[in-house]
């Protein structure tokens, strides 16, 4: 496995772990749908932090993982809020 593949898998795994931790501390009921959905969402928003390597190619692995945790957490919250608004809008307008 090449280095960039390892970094991608580490970022996805870290995002999944963060999502599960957020579910454990929330008061929302933890159904399988919520756990899997948030894990996928957070895993791939965290992976987006890997794109930083395009601009900062000499960033250390710790820097990439830290940035991934930061952007993944904030990014998944943003995406989740926007998706909830979109779904609610669609349900309320009857589309």
């Amino acid at each position: 496995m090449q280095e960039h593949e390892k970094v991608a898998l580490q970022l996805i795994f870290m995002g999944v772990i963060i999502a599960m931790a957020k579910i454990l501390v929330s008061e929302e009921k933890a159904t399988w749908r919520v756990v899997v959905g948030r894990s996928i969402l957070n895993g791939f928003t965290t992976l987006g932090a890997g794109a930083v390597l395009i601009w900062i190619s000499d960033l250390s692995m710790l820097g990439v993982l830290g940035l991934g945790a930061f952007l993944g957490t904030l990014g998944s919250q943003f995406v989740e809020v926007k998706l909830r608004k979109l779904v609610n809008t669609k349900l309320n307008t009857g589309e």
Side-chain angles (χ1 to χ4, degrees):
M1 186 178 296
Q2 295 181 1
E3 188 63 30
H4 66 277
E5 293 170 331
K6 290 178 187 177
V7 171
L9 288 176
Q10 287 173 332
L11 286 167
I12 291 172
F13 181 71
M14 182 178 58
V16 169
I17 296 299
I18 291 170
M20 289 182 185
K22 286 169 41 178
I23 291 168
L24 288 174
V25 298
S26 74
E27 295 187 18
E28 185 177 3
K29 184 178 178 186
T31 64
W32 280 108
R33 189 184 87 157
V34 169
V35 171
V36 171
R38 286 198 180 160
S39 295
I40 292 170
L41 172 64
N42 208 62
F44 284 102
T45 52
T46 302
L47 178 61
V52 171
L53 291 175
I54 294 171
W55 292 289
I56 309 172
S57 60
D58 60 344
L59 188 63
S60 71
M61 176 59 105
L62 184 60
V64 171
L65 293 176
L67 190 60
F70 176 73
L71 293 178
T73 301
L74 291 181
S76 65
Q77 292 285 37
F78 177 78
V79 170
E80 187 175 343
V81 167
K82 292 298 181 185
L83 284 175
R84 284 182 192 261
K85 284 183 182 179
L86 178 68
V87 168
N88 288 335
T89 302
K90 295 288 184 184
L91 290 176
N92 291 336
T93 61
E95 293 181 23

